[in-house]
Amino acid sequence: MNARKWDKVATTILYLISIFIIFVLAFLLLYILVSGLPNVSWHFITGRSSSFQAGGGIGIQLFNSIYLLVLAMLISVPLSVGAGIYLSEYAPKNWLTNLVRNAIEILSSLPSVVVGLFGFLVFSINMKFGFSILSGALALTVFNLPLLTRKVEDSLQSIHYTQREAGYALGLSRWETVIHVVVPAALPGIITGMILGMGRIFGEAAALIYTAGQSSPPLDFSNWNPLYIASPLNPLRSAETLAVHIWKINSEGIIPDATKVSAASSAILVLFVLLLNFAARYVGNRLYGRLTGVKERK
């Protein structure tokens, strides 16, 4: 068999693998949506959950997930962008930098349960934050930071060196070249990393069981003062997220309609992650076009 025939065989195999992966993902997505969407209603999305009776909602759990996502990204994005810029543009090439990169690779592969136990010991107990949104956000920062840092560094290193030299030729300093030339050009890859990070945070359950808790106190949505104990924005209150709620009702099995609530909650979670992806892509495209002058990202 000559090289041309081997190339056709290899190409066919790759196409079949790609089709199989797409089929599996589409089947899982459709199965979750078909099973859950018939049980979704406005009352279910905005209502309070029920511990023993049927007909409960996920309003507080959905709000907790969104709030924790925002708080965790506010902490992890600046740190990961700063670390990625340093490792890509300023870090010397020596054994210490290689050690840091290896440590980042190891940390990014840690199971979420281990990160949750670490957050429980460090943030909940030693730092005395208890079961709180702040403990959960810090634990998710530890969980997400290695992935985001690595993605930012890879995106910056993928920019051709001629763009840096063009900035230097225009009289820009190294920092100005990074901020005004390299980072805008690497923005598509950085946005992709942020989308992956948001999906991991919104769907995470194991790490939050030990840090954010498995219950939510009664909230007063008329008082948004973060210092008020019943305020929805209080970062020191416990918070049951949507992913933890799905795990909890399936593991306990106390609610009469646990199967319907679990299916509907899973559908809402998937839809919200998809919505986050599309929104982040849209914002990223607009920001990329404004910073680089390119209308459409290729």
Side-chain angles (χ1 to χ4, degrees):
M1 188 177 292
N2 56 29
R4 182 171 297 180
K5 291 183 178 180
W6 275 114
D7 180 70
K8 291 183 178 180
V9 171
T11 303
T12 303
I13 293 175
L14 292 176
Y15 274 121
L16 291 176
I17 293 174
S18 301
I19 294 172
F20 175 75
I21 293 174
I22 294 174
F23 174 78
V24 171
L25 293 177
F27 174 77
L28 291 175
L29 182 62
L30 291 176
Y31 177 78
I32 293 173
L33 295 179
V34 171
S35 301
L37 287 181
N39 303 308
V40 175
S41 64
W42 182 250
H43 170 74
F44 178 78
I45 296 175
T46 60
R48 296 181 181 273
S49 62
S50 175
S51 299
F52 303 101
Q53 298 179 351
I58 58 168
I60 294 179
Q61 287 77 14
L62 183 59
F63 175 82
N64 290 337
S65 297
I66 297 173
Y67 184 34
L68 198 144
L69 170 66
V70 172
L71 191 60
M73 293 302 290
L74 285 176
I75 298 173
S76 59
V77 168
L79 294 176
S80 61
V81 172
I85 290 176
Y86 174 76
L87 290 174
S88 174
E89 306 297 327
Y90 292 95
K93 296 181 180 180
N94 53 29
W95 65 271
L96 183 59
T97 303
N98 293 332
L99 180 63
V100 171
R101 288 195 175 97
N102 290 332
I104 291 174
E105 295 288 347
I106 294 173
L107 288 174
S108 63
S109 62
L110 284 178
S112 57
V113 175
V114 176
V115 178
L117 291 173
F118 171 81
F120 173 71
L121 293 174
V122 176
F123 305 125
S124 298
I125 295 181
N126 291 334
M127 299 183 70
K128 302 186 185 302
F129 291 148
F131 290 107
S132 63
I133 294 179
L134 183 59
S135 296
L138 292 174
L140 290 179
T141 298
V142 175
F143 178 62
N144 225 19
L145 195 59
L147 173 67
L148 296 181
T149 302
R150 192 61 179 167
K151 187 62 181 177
V152 172
E153 183 186 3
D154 291 342
S155 300
L156 295 175
Q157 289 181 344
S158 66
I159 304 303
H160 201 265
Y161 73 93
T162 53
Q163 296 198 37
R164 295 174 174 83
E165 292 182 350
Y168 299 149
L170 292 173
L172 299 178
S173 64
R174 190 174 187 179
W175 173 249
E176 290 173 333
T177 301
V178 170
I179 295 300
H180 299 292
V181 177
V182 180
V183 171
L187 196 59
I190 296 175
I191 294 296
T192 300
M194 300 308 164
I195 292 174
L196 294 175
M198 288 190 296
R200 294 181 78 189
I201 291 175
F202 199 80
E204 180 56 41
L208 297 177
I209 293 173
Y210 301 102
T211 52
Q214 303 179 41
S215 62
S216 296
L219 301 180
D220 182 8
F221 283 92
S222 63
N223 191 333
W224 294 88
N225 182 6
L227 301 179
Y228 180 53
I229 189 172
S231 171
L233 296 182
N234 186 353
L236 297 179
R237 65 174 177 86
S238 60
E240 180 188 31
T241 62
L242 188 57
V244 173
H245 183 64
I246 295 172
W247 169 83
K248 184 178 178 181
I249 60 178
N250 278 289
S251 60
E252 293 180 347
I254 299 176
I255 306 176
D257 57 346
T259 302
K260 294 182 179 179
V261 173
S262 175
S265 301
S266 300
I268 293 296
L269 191 148
V270 170
L271 287 177
F272 201 87
V273 170
L274 292 175
L275 180 63
L276 282 176
N277 288 349
F278 290 134
R281 288 290 184 189
Y282 176 77
V283 174
N285 286 334
R286 295 293 298 270
L287 188 60
Y288 177 76
R290 177 168 295 185
L291 293 176
T292 61
V294 179
K295 294 183 178 181
E296 295 184 0
R297 192 175 68 191
K298 296 181 179 180

